[in-house]
Amino acid sequence: YQRRVHGESNLGYFGLCCALSKNLAFIALFNMVNPVYLYYPNLVGYVRVISTIVAFVYCFHDQFLATVLYGVGQALDAVDGVTARKFNQCSKFGAVLDMLTDRMSTATLLIVLAQVYPNVWGLFASLLVLDIVSHWCQMYSKLAQGAKTHKGSRNAILNFYYTFPYALLVHCAGQEICFGGLFLLAFPLSPAIHTFVQILTYVCMPICACKQFMNVVQLYDAIGEIVEVDYQEAQSKS
């Protein structure tokens, strides 16, 4: 009996030491990690990335699950910015993470649409290129000018798009709903769900078209600003 009690006490002591060691290791690892990685809005960004990746893993096996996960990733896009401002955790890394997640999700969805609608794959490929190129040029032009954010422009149309309340949200949501609806319509659905998705897709199509127009305006404006920076630098050297 005494041996058993003594053995149990040793096991309890050993378990306590293991738990303490794990906690100390976690604390040491936490202190080694740059705290910017653990900002609340960046944690939201990681959830967006994971949910989007899992959505595309299941996109050809479980369309409902894929749509829900993709929707969660897109909905959280409206959360990270609010979280960053609320906790005063705005960061350049967070801005890049947000932009790359947006581009990754839209690009991959367009690739999927090109596969399920092979007759118009060129349209989706063109929209993919326009989305990436226009946003890359916008980011580069603002960096070249030393701006703190890419959301803004001297162009009246683009400035409205980026700064007018809910304008950006409506355009982005309309685009994603339209693309998501096209994705679902490519697969068998019940008559009621098919009709609902079809109506929702048609309603969002004009908004999606406006979003593509904004991408064209953004590309044109960003190229103009980059050329203007080059011209000013050339003038300063002469």
Side-chain angles (χ1 to χ4, degrees):
Y1 174 77
Q2 290 179 347
R3 289 180 180 178
R4 183 167 63 85
V5 172
H6 182 68
E8 288 178 353
S9 64
N10 285 340
L11 286 174
Y13 177 74
F14 178 73
L16 179 63
C17 289
C18 288
L20 182 60
S21 299
K22 288 180 180 179
N23 288 333
L24 290 174
F26 178 78
I27 292 172
L29 180 63
F30 182 85
N31 290 331
M32 290 173 61
V33 174
N34 190 313
V36 174
Y37 288 116
L38 302 177
Y39 280 2
Y40 295 138
N42 295 341
L43 296 179
V44 174
Y46 305 148
V47 174
R48 289 188 64 205
V49 172
I50 294 171
S51 64
T52 302
I53 291 174
V54 177
F56 289 118
V57 169
Y58 284 96
C59 67
F60 293 112
H61 306 288
D62 189 333
Q63 287 75 45
F64 177 76
L65 177 61
T67 302
V68 170
L69 289 172
Y70 187 85
V72 168
Q74 295 304 307
L76 289 176
D77 188 23
V79 175
D80 54 5
V82 175
T83 305
R85 290 185 290 272
K86 180 178 180 180
F87 292 97
N88 193 27
Q89 292 183 338
C90 297
S91 63
K92 294 180 177 63
F93 172 72
V96 172
L97 177 64
D98 180 61
M99 170 69 78
L100 291 179
T101 306
D102 290 340
R103 305 286 68 76
M104 174 193 73
S105 58
T106 301
T108 310
L109 180 54
L110 287 169
I111 292 172
V112 171
L113 289 175
Q115 184 167 349
V116 297
Y117 294 101
N119 293 334
V120 289
W121 70 268
L123 171 63
F124 296 118
S126 300
L127 295 179
L128 188 157
V129 172
L130 174 63
D131 184 72
I132 293 177
V133 171
S134 65
H135 283 87
W136 188 90
C137 287
Q138 177 74 358
M139 287 283 286
Y140 187 86
S141 68
K142 297 308 176 186
L143 286 172
Q145 297 174 76
K148 294 183 178 180
T149 177
H150 71 282
K151 296 181 177 179
S153 174
R154 292 174 293 181
N155 184 290
I157 298 175
L158 202 57
N159 194 60
F160 166 83
Y161 170 73
Y162 273 122
T163 62
F164 191 80
Y166 304 111
L168 179 61
L169 176 63
V170 169
H171 281 82
C172 292
Q175 171 184 269
E176 298 306 325
I177 293 173
C178 179
F179 289 160
L182 290 173
F183 165 73
L184 286 175
L185 291 173
F187 298 92
L189 301 170
S190 68
I193 294 178
H194 184 278
T195 301
F196 173 75
V197 173
Q198 192 174 46
I199 292 173
L200 192 61
T201 303
Y202 287 160
V203 169
C204 291
M205 264 187 188
I207 302 174
C208 182
C210 287
K211 177 69 169 68
Q212 309 318 309
F213 172 73
M214 290 298 180
N215 284 344
V216 173
V217 174
Q218 179 172 253
L219 177 60
Y220 174 82
D221 184 68
I223 291 175
E225 289 184 348
I226 294 171
V227 171
E228 181 65 25
V229 170
D230 285 336
Y231 177 76
Q232 291 177 0
E233 289 180 352
Q235 290 292 101
S236 64
K237 292 178 181 178
S238 61

